[in-house]
Amino acid sequence: MLKAIIFDMDGVIADTEPIYHIVTDDLLREHGIVTADDYQDQFIGVTSEFMWTTIVNEFHLPLTPEDCIRIIDKK
């Protein structure tokens, strides 16, 4: 008997990558950072924590990864 079904909702029902790309670009631009169009491709499939830790360290943002996630989640 089937007891559970697991769905990977992100990307299956709704393609949210373009939206995250836009809001991430907006946050980076607010700090004077403009990246190449394909910059964010390296983060497809990773956690938000990993992505923002990488970005914060690479660009020396005056925010923590948690700050970035909180900001993005409000947009």
Side-chain angles (χ1 to χ4, degrees):
M1 175 195 324
L2 184 64
K3 295 189 180 211
I5 297 175
I6 299 172
F7 287 98
D8 176 10
M9 303 290 279
D10 189 27
V12 174
I13 294 177
D15 182 11
T16 57
E17 286 298 328
I19 295 166
Y20 279 108
H21 186 91
I22 291 167
V23 295
T24 297
D25 277 347
D26 289 347
L27 177 58
L28 292 175
R29 280 193 193 102
E30 289 171 13
H31 292 277
I33 299 163
V34 178
T35 60
D37 290 338
D38 63 348
Y39 173 76
Q40 292 183 50
D41 291 352
Q42 66 184 309
F43 301 117
I44 294 173
V46 303
T47 65
S48 295
E49 291 81 7
F50 177 83
M51 180 182 99
W52 284 108
T53 298
T54 303
I55 292 172
V56 165
N57 291 332
E58 183 174 344
F59 295 109
H60 308 289
L61 289 177
L63 302 166
T64 66
E66 293 78 17
D67 292 335
C68 296
I69 292 167
R70 203 172 12 261
I71 291 166
I72 293 299
D73 285 348
K74 289 181 182 178
K75 291 188 176 213

